[in-house]
Amino acid sequence: IYPNPNQGSFTVDLFLTETSENLEIQLIDLNGREVDRVTLAGFIGTNRLNMDYRSTGLAKGIYMVRISTPNGRTQLVEKVSIR
């Protein structure tokens, strides 16, 4: 995830060793509430998703980005700081 910290716009790069029917990317606040969810097809190699919340009124703060596959075999949680 970069840049981190950011102004509400960041990029998620994820390298997959196998194709996944769907990747689920969730943005979660520190209270555990889901702020956003994006589902996309994942392919072998680098998958890139640009996330832009600058015009949504998303509050500044620390959020968690959770990336998972439907079978649960791949799950990654990263912290992102929006200033």
Side-chain angles (χ1 to χ4, degrees), residues 30-59:
L30 290 182
N31 292 318
R33 290 184 295 244
E34 183 179 284
V35 175
D36 192 25
R37 177 187 301 241
V38 177
T39 303
L40 63 127
F43 300 97
I44 293 175
T46 300
N47 293 263
R48 178 168 288 159
L49 176 64
N50 296 311
M51 303 185 81
D52 190 344
Y53 296 99
R54 290 176 291 192
S55 64
T56 65
L58 183 67

Side-chain angles (χ1 to χ4, degrees), residues 1-11 61-62 79-83:
I1 296 175
Y2 61 93
N4 196 10
N6 62 72
Q7 301 291 321
S9 177
F10 56 93
T11 301
I62 305 292
K79 179 176 72 171
V80 64
S81 177
I82 297 177
R83 295 184 178 178

Side-chain angles (χ1 to χ4, degrees), residues 6-21:
N6 62 72
Q7 301 291 321
S9 177
F10 56 93
T11 301
V12 177
D13 280 349
L14 180 66
F15 184 83
L16 297 178
T17 57
E18 60 186 47
T19 297
S20 171
E21 290 182 13

